[in-house]
């Protein structure tokens, strides 16, 4: 497939969503983003835009009116995935016990990784052409994880010697795992094993080394 030349989006391309759209136009846009995220996670960045439009119940012209290029759609999907992951950390913190919130967020992180893996080729291109994409969101996911880990440590539901950077490093290994058919199921099992390790010895005093 011949790729279109990358374009630099002058600010956040998702800013178009903040403009006043008709309710039906906003629904179409939101549905296109959701379906595109699933398509990129399943089929990679070369997923058919025509099929994305078809599943969203709109014509390809409607897709291009909202997202003039494939790179534009990729960037908006990626920003939405990061935003959703960070919002999930806040919501889970309010509604779940700290260790449960951490585990559920890490399971959500698996879905985020699946989408990011599918977008990897275009994200590398965007990194070289649009520095604001990564400067805008740099550290947000890490900060969200840190808040969850620190809350679980504070209430004694996970080990007291846990550092959020170590947990992120372990989660990063999931991203690097071979892309096999059972990758997502295997990754969810790994998260459960990781949580077992984090809970082991919880509430015990940390020994100085």
């Amino acid at each position: 497939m011949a790729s279109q030349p990358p374009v630099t989006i002058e600010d956040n391309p998702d800013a178009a969503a903040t403009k006043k759209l008709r309710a039906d136009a906003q629904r179409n846009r939101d549905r296109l983003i959701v379906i595109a995220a699933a398509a990129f996670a399943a089929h990679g960045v070369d997923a058919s835009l025509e099929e994305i439009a078809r599943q969203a119940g709109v014509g390809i012209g409607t897709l291009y009116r909202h997202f003039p290029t494939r790179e534009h759609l990729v960037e908006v999907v990626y920003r939405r995935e990061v935003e959703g992951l960070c919002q999930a950390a806040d919501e889970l913190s309010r509604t779940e016990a700290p260790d449960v919130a951490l585990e559920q967020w890490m399971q959500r992180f698996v879905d985020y990784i699946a989408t990011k893996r599918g977008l990897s080729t275009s994200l590398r291109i965007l990194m070289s052409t649009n520095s604001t994409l990564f400067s805008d969101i740099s550290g947000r996911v890490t900060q969200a994880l840190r808040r969850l880990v620190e809350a679980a440590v504070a209430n004694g539901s996970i080990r007291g010697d846990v550092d959020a950077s170590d947990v992120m490093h372990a989660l990063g290994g999931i991203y690097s795992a071979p892309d096999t058919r059972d990758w997502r199921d295997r990754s969810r099992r790994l998260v459960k094993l990781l949580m077992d390790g984090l809970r082991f010895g919880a509430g015990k005093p940390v020994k100085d080394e």
Side-chain angles (χ1 to χ4, degrees):
M1 185 193 71
S3 60
Q4 299 178 359
V7 295
T8 299
I9 306 299
E10 203 171 313
D11 300 315
N12 181 346
D14 207 20
T18 65
K19 296 179 181 179
K20 189 65 177 177
L21 293 175
R22 297 194 321 269
D24 58 338
Q26 186 64 60
R27 284 194 298 271
N28 287 342
R29 189 179 194 281
D30 291 343
R31 190 159 58 246
L32 282 165
I33 294 170
V34 170
I35 291 172
F40 291 148
H43 306 295
V45 75
D46 291 331
S48 167
L49 297 185
E50 288 79 6
E51 181 61 17
I52 290 170
R54 188 192 67 78
Q55 290 187 25
V58 301
I60 189 65
T62 297
L63 184 149
Y64 279 118
R65 278 195 296 276
H66 288 292
F67 311 105
T69 67
R70 182 180 293 270
E71 287 76 16
H72 187 176
L73 178 57
V74 165
E75 183 169 348
V76 171
V77 166
Y78 183 57
R79 286 182 184 273
R80 286 290 184 94
E81 288 294 301
V82 171
E83 185 65 31
L85 195 61
C86 294
Q87 288 178 354
D90 293 335
E91 292 168 3
L92 289 167
S93 294
R94 291 193 299 268
T95 59
E96 303 291 344
D99 60 324
V100 175
L102 175 60
E103 181 171 7
Q104 291 187 9
W105 187 87
M106 290 197 296
Q107 294 291 358
R108 173 76 178 263
F109 188 85
V110 171
D111 296 328
Y112 162 75
I113 290 176
T115 301
K116 187 176 180 181
R117 282 162 65 113
L119 299 176
S120 59
T121 301
S122 282
L123 287 177
R124 283 194 292 270
I125 295 172
L126 287 169
M127 185 182 294
S128 65
T129 61
N130 184 1
S131 60
T132 64
L133 171 62
F134 295 95
S135 62
D136 287 351
I137 63 177
S138 176
R140 291 191 64 198
V141 173
T142 300
Q143 291 168 7
L145 173 61
R146 185 172 301 280
R147 291 196 301 272
L148 292 167
V149 168
E150 289 177 351
V153 167
N155 95 321
S157 55
I158 65 173
R159 299 167 58 102
D161 58 352
V162 173
D163 186 272
S165 61
D166 294 333
V167 179
M168 181 58 75
H169 187 72
L171 291 173
I174 294 176
Y175 181 86
S176 304
D179 190 10
T180 57
R181 183 173 298 181
D182 64 341
W183 172 85
R184 197 178 298 228
D185 289 339
R186 191 172 67 253
S187 297
R188 295 194 188 285
R189 292 195 297 271
L190 287 173
V191 166
K192 288 183 177 295
L193 288 172
L194 177 57
M195 278 305 306
D196 286 345
L198 294 176
R199 288 185 173 116
F200 181 80
K204 295 181 180 178
V206 179
K207 297 180 179 179
D208 295 330
E209 295 183 357

